[in-house]
Amino acid sequence: MKFVKYILVGLALSASLGCNSENEEDLLPEEEKCRDNTATLSGAVSTIIGTNCAVPGCHVSGTGRVNFTVKENIIQNAAQIRSFTQNEIMPPPQSGRTLSEKQKDDIFCWVENGAQDN
């Protein structure tokens, strides 16, 4: 009976210690995650939004949605853009578009660094 207890304790311990699929970058505090990320609106961010959001039928004039072809609208909605892209709400799955981790990090860090018109 003692032997079975030791086996169960060993299995539980190895399962709790050995099943960590998070990568090291995901564990970094937000301020460290963005330390070396210098994404700008005029660079990476506008390219990401122009390719994935400000496309026909989505965030352009005449759709009833925020028009992301206007940079002031991007800046004013930066926090929501960050939230929606981090939570994979946008771009919507049915659009067939997805963002890479690098693209999501660029948006996240641009907002974290003040969502400046840069």
Side-chain angles (χ1 to χ4, degrees):
M1 189 61 138
K2 268 187 176 177
F3 181 71
V4 172
K5 285 183 185 178
Y6 288 123
I7 289 177
L8 291 176
V9 169
L11 288 174
L13 187 59
S14 67
S16 67
L17 295 176
C19 294
N20 187 353
S21 63
E22 296 175 353
N23 67 41
E24 194 172 307
E25 194 168 285
D26 290 339
L27 302 174
L28 292 175
E30 292 172 357
E31 59 272 2
E32 287 185 36
K33 178 179 181 177
C34 296
R35 181 181 306 147
D36 295 327
N37 187 313
T38 57
T40 62
L41 178 60
S42 63
V45 175
S46 65
T47 300
I48 295 165
I49 291 175
T51 304
N52 296 283
C53 310
V55 296
C58 289
H59 290 279
V60 294
S61 179
T63 61
R65 296 182 185 99
V66 178
N67 183 350
F68 287 156
T69 63
V70 177
K71 75 176 174 179
E72 289 79 14
N73 291 343
I74 296 170
I75 294 167
Q76 289 174 355
N77 291 279
Q80 187 172 27
I81 293 169
R82 175 181 64 183
S83 176
F84 282 13
T85 56
Q86 292 298 301
N87 292 307
E88 299 181 2
I89 296 169
M90 291 290 169
Q94 65 270 23
S95 73
R97 300 173 190 278
T98 58
L99 300 182
S100 69
E101 288 304 312
K102 170 76 168 114
Q103 290 172 316
K104 289 189 270 186
D105 285 349
D106 285 347
I107 291 171
F108 179 90
C109 291
W110 171 70
V111 175
E112 191 69 18
N113 291 327
Q116 297 177 19
D117 182 0
N118 54 4

